[in-house]
Amino acid sequence: MQTQTVTTPFGRRPMSLGMIASQVTAQNAPEGTTVHKWHVFRDIKEARIALGATDRALAILDALLSFHPETAFYGDSALIVWPSNEQLIGRANGMSPATLRRHLANLVECGLIVRRDSPNGKRYARKGQGGEVEQAYGFDLSPIVARAVEFKALAEAMRAEKKAYKVVKERLTIARRDIVKMIEAGIEEGVPGNWGSVHIEYQAIIGRLPRTAPRQVLEAVAAELDDLWQQIREVLESFVKSTNLNANESQTERHIQNSKTETKIESGSGVGPKVEASGSAGESDNVRSLPKRELPLSIVLDACPNVLWMVKGSGGIRSWRDFLAAVETVRPVMGISPSAWEDARVALGEQQAAITLAAIYQKGDQIKSPGGYLRNLTDRAKEAKFSVWPMIMALVRAELDAGKALKLDTGEVHGDQHGAERVIRTEQRLEVSDALRKTMAKWDKES
């Protein structure tokens, strides 16, 4: 078949340098090259995004390929098809004529087909006496052969990109899961560390992750999570090693003590009775001697003013409901796990647990592991060895002592005037017994 090269489209459709480049590429298809049209079409689908082709355009290309009777395309064969718009619409899932024209233009722009328009814009073929096609006007499928190698390379690159994207997504998922669970483990096991700050750092990293992000962004976030994962892992492993070492030493000490033949401890009046007198019995007596009434909210706020920072600008804390809401905000900042908080609420009651948490928050600089500290207090509360009264009174007296010390040094109270006023108000509200003062002093020593 002899074909005349048509370089410009019919009608008002403009010509572009991209169309000329596509036509040149189609004319330069290597002779003797043979490709399987459906294999090439599969590669084109894989590389659709890189080529800039739409999914509807590929549906039209699929229809165009079906109009050519041969499955194998040759570099030196005629690859022009001339279906009407009605025929294309029938094979392209019934899309509208306007949609058909728009996506045909997309195929031309991507260089997947070349227009061979007739003088009047119609698509047809002129045949000779023997029935052989001499001239055809329609869509040239030569780029399928000419760019087959390029399409395959693009498809392989896209498959590699999809695999890399999937790998980094899996990496992100595992890193996020590991970090969250390791933080929870550190809090649950009482590992020393500022787990609240670690959790905030983790949230900051995750916060930079958009809903849909390219692989490069995911790689950067994954690298940051890997660094944080490594830091947490090192802390936990160091704690495990030190704990095992201490456990081994304790076992050795117990073995040495148990191997002694002397029975001074058993026969004397020493350790056993002393532990009972100064430990469970004494603590239980002190707790029973504490006031049975609930702590007023005003005294709790005087003792724990730091919790007010969490409700700044919202009207302050005016009721126990406001106080509980503020403590719920404080808890994750302190790195206390939900399970530790739930255990405390069950053992102490919701209000007493909230007061305990506020007191721990007030003494944050002195407590390395708030979660472990809360669990210890919870265990003591289960044995009736803990009350919030001495804890709050110790904080009140600490403010009073600080105010008195400042006044002795300077003769005046400036910066801590409000704190001193809170202490005076608190003393006026309470009648502190001698037993309670002794318990407060003991609490100060223990804390």
Side-chain angles (χ1 to χ4, degrees):
M1 177 180 79
Q2 297 178 355
T3 59
Q4 179 180 356
T5 302
V6 180
T7 58
T8 58
F10 173 79
R12 296 181 180 181
R13 289 191 296 269
M15 186 65 183
S16 66
L17 295 178
M19 292 182 183
I20 296 177
S22 299
Q23 293 174 4
V24 171
T25 301
Q27 292 174 357
N28 294 331
E31 294 185 4
T33 301
T34 304
V35 299
H36 193 295
K37 68 178 182 181
W38 299 120
H39 291 176
V40 179
F41 181 66
R42 181 188 60 195
D43 293 337
I44 291 173
K45 289 193 295 183
E46 292 279 353
R48 176 179 66 83
I49 297 177
L51 292 170
T54 63
D55 53 349
R56 304 297 295 275
L58 293 187
I60 296 173
L61 179 60
D62 187 8
L64 289 174
L65 291 174
S66 68
F67 282 105
H68 197 286
E70 301 295 334
T71 301
F73 283 3
Y74 303 95
D76 55 353
S77 61
L79 300 176
I80 298 178
V81 292
W82 51 93
S84 64
N85 284 351
E86 288 76 12
Q87 291 174 318
L88 270 178
I89 289 173
R91 295 195 186 184
N93 303 322
M95 66 179 62
S96 66
T99 303
L100 176 68
R101 289 191 294 271
R102 185 169 65 253
H103 292 291
L104 277 173
N106 178 254
L107 289 176
V108 174
E109 291 173 2
C110 295
L112 297 176
I113 61 174
V114 175
R115 285 185 179 273
R116 304 295 186 187
D117 287 349
S118 66
N120 60 1
K122 301 294 184 180
R123 303 178 201 128
Y124 60 88
R126 182 182 299 112
K127 299 181 180 180
Q129 293 181 352
E132 180 182 357
V133 176
E134 294 181 347
Q135 185 70 46
Y137 298 99
F139 301 107
D140 192 348
L141 303 177
S142 298
I144 299 297
V145 180
R147 303 179 63 187
V149 176
E150 177 189 351
F151 295 149
K152 185 175 182 179
L154 285 174
E156 291 176 353
M158 292 299 296
R159 283 192 288 267
E161 179 66 21
K162 288 181 180 178
K163 182 179 179 181
Y165 188 86
K166 182 179 180 180
V167 168
V168 72
K169 288 283 285 185
E170 293 175 351
R171 179 180 160 198
L172 269 175
T173 301
I174 293 174
R176 294 178 66 172
R177 182 187 68 197
D178 288 356
I179 289 174
V180 170
K181 289 185 178 292
M182 286 193 296
I183 291 176
E184 290 179 352
I187 296 172
E188 293 280 351
E189 301 295 336
V191 179
N194 193 348
W195 295 108
S197 298
V198 174
H199 189 265
I200 291 174
E201 182 180 355
Y202 165 73
Q203 291 292 346
I205 296 174
I206 296 302
R208 293 194 294 272
L209 188 64
R211 185 177 298 274
T212 56
R215 179 179 57 84
Q216 292 75 10
V217 174
L218 298 182
E219 291 281 0
V221 173
E224 293 186 57
L225 289 178
D226 288 343
D227 291 341
L228 183 60
W229 183 97
Q230 187 65 33
Q231 295 173 20
I232 298 173
R233 186 72 178 183
E234 289 176 358
V235 171
L236 295 180
E237 288 181 354
S238 298
F239 181 77
V240 169
K241 292 177 182 178
S242 64
T243 303
N244 289 340
L245 180 60
N246 293 335
N248 293 335
E249 291 176 353
S250 299
Q251 291 174 3
T252 304
E253 291 175 0
R254 288 196 299 271
H255 177 72
I256 293 174
Q257 292 173 357
N258 293 337
S259 64
K260 292 182 179 180
T261 56
E262 299 179 1
T263 59
K264 293 181 180 179
I265 294 176
E266 296 177 0
S267 60
S269 60
V271 176
K274 284 183 180 179
V275 170
E276 183 179 356
S278 62
S280 60
E283 286 189 353
S284 298
D285 291 341
N286 287 334
V287 170
R288 282 194 292 269
S289 67
L290 295 175
K292 301 303 180 183
R293 65 183 184 276
E294 293 185 353
L295 273 165
L297 176 60
S298 56
I299 294 177
V300 175
L301 295 178
D302 287 343
C304 309
N306 288 355
V307 75
L308 294 169
W309 298 347
M310 308 307 293
V311 292
K312 184 176 181 181
S314 61
I317 296 176
R318 300 180 180 179
S319 64
W320 283 112
R321 182 177 181 180
D322 295 340
F323 181 75
L324 295 174
V327 169
E328 285 288 352
T329 306
V330 168
R331 180 190 61 77
V333 175
M334 297 171 65
I336 294 177
S337 66
S339 60
W341 175 232
E342 183 62 26
D343 290 344
R345 292 170 64 184
V346 172
L348 293 163
E350 187 172 27
Q351 184 171 309
Q352 301 299 309
I355 295 173
T356 304
L357 199 69
I360 295 174
Y361 184 62
Q362 185 68 28
K363 300 176 64 175
D365 296 339
Q366 306 171 31
I367 299 174
K368 294 182 179 179
S369 177
Y373 196 64
L374 179 63
R375 283 196 177 279
N376 181 41
L377 298 182
T378 301
D379 293 339
R380 292 172 60 183
K382 292 177 181 177
E383 300 174 2
K385 298 178 181 178
F386 171 74
S387 171
V388 295
W389 275 86
M391 195 177 193
I392 294 299
M393 291 300 100
L395 291 173
V396 170
R397 198 176 72 174
E399 287 198 16
L400 177 60
D401 293 343
K404 288 180 179 179
L406 182 61
K407 189 170 184 179
L408 288 174
D409 292 340
T410 64
E412 295 181 358
V413 178
H414 296 291
D416 285 350
Q417 183 175 358
H418 296 294
E421 291 176 355
R422 287 197 305 270
V423 173
I424 294 172
R425 290 196 307 269
T426 302
E427 285 187 328
Q428 293 173 349
R429 295 188 187 106
L430 287 177
E431 294 181 2
V432 183
S433 65
D434 293 337
L436 181 57
R437 291 182 186 277
K438 292 180 181 180
T439 306
M440 289 164 55
K442 182 178 180 181
W443 179 267
D444 286 342
K445 293 179 181 179
E446 291 179 353
S447 58

